[in-house]
Amino acid sequence: MPQSLAQIYLHLIFSTRERESWITPILRHEMHAYMAGISRELDAPAIQVGGVSDHVHVLAHFPRTLTVSKWVELLKTQSNRWFKQQSTENNRNLFAWQKGYGVFSVSPSHLDLVKTYIRNQETHHRTVTFKDEYRKIMDKYNVQYDERYVWD
């Protein structure tokens, strides 16, 4: 077969360092749009970007030519730079993303479910913390993890 084809969808999740509530409602929509733009430029078009004040979810159609680590690195560094340009002097130097992240494959048949899940983060997090949400997703995907190293 001379063609190289891929149909890969990824759900990326990462938080602010120490789960600090830096992403205000005023900046949230703009930050998510900015992150979608970064992902699009990397040939990994975002299907849905969302989150709340302490974390972000990105659902993207992933290309076969990009590594996950490079995608995450560029999303974090470029959005970090953007956030600091938008922020006041008081919090500009304090904002950072956590070092780690979670990325999970999504079946094409589950895209609508994940899109809705990401879109409804505000409602979801009225009753569920980020840590509980993240644990549940890791358990769903049978990811082995050590609590001592998940939360940096």
Side-chain angles (χ1 to χ4, degrees):
M1 175 190 286
Q3 280 187 315
S4 298
L5 303 171
Q7 186 74 305
I8 303 166
Y9 297 97
L10 296 179
H11 179 190
L12 171 65
I13 307 165
F14 57 91
S15 76
T16 58
R17 185 177 49 208
E18 302 294 328
R19 271 108 4 249
E20 292 287 339
S21 295
W22 289 113
I23 310 167
T24 64
I26 294 168
L27 287 177
R28 193 169 303 145
H29 179 73
E30 290 180 52
M31 175 179 270
H32 295 165
Y34 188 78
M35 293 177 93
I38 295 167
S39 201
R40 183 180 55 251
E41 291 296 318
L42 295 170
D43 200 26
I47 298 165
Q48 189 73 47
V49 180
V52 291
S53 63
D54 66 349
H55 71 280
V56 174
H57 293 256
V58 180
L59 175 63
H61 184 241
F62 207 72
R64 59 181 181 71
T65 57
L66 181 65
T67 65
V68 171
S69 61
K70 191 63 166 178
W71 179 53
V72 175
E73 173 193 343
L74 292 170
L75 277 173
K76 284 183 170 184
T77 57
Q78 291 181 26
S79 63
N80 184 309
R81 189 176 308 122
W82 176 88
F83 183 90
K84 289 180 178 187
Q85 290 171 349
Q86 308 305 312
S87 298
T88 65
E89 298 229 4
N90 294 340
N91 65 9
R92 181 173 294 145
N93 294 322
L94 300 175
F95 176 80
W97 294 117
Q98 73 175 118
K99 292 178 184 158
Y101 60 89
V103 66
F104 309 94
S105 60
V106 178
S107 166
S109 65
H110 290 102
L111 287 176
D112 287 338
L113 182 67
V114 176
K115 282 175 18 182
T116 300
Y117 177 75
I118 293 171
R119 204 173 16 248
N120 292 327
Q121 285 289 292
E122 289 281 343
T123 303
H124 175 69
H125 284 291
R126 288 183 188 142
T127 58
V128 178
T129 68
F130 171 73
K131 284 185 174 185
D132 289 340
E133 171 189 51
Y134 197 62
R135 283 183 194 106
K136 184 176 178 181
I137 291 171
M138 289 188 295
D139 291 343
K140 178 181 177 180
Y141 280 90
N142 294 314
V143 173
Q144 300 298 311
Y145 60 95
D146 185 330
E147 285 276 343
R148 295 175 297 172
Y149 305 109
V150 174
W151 318 114
D152 59 356

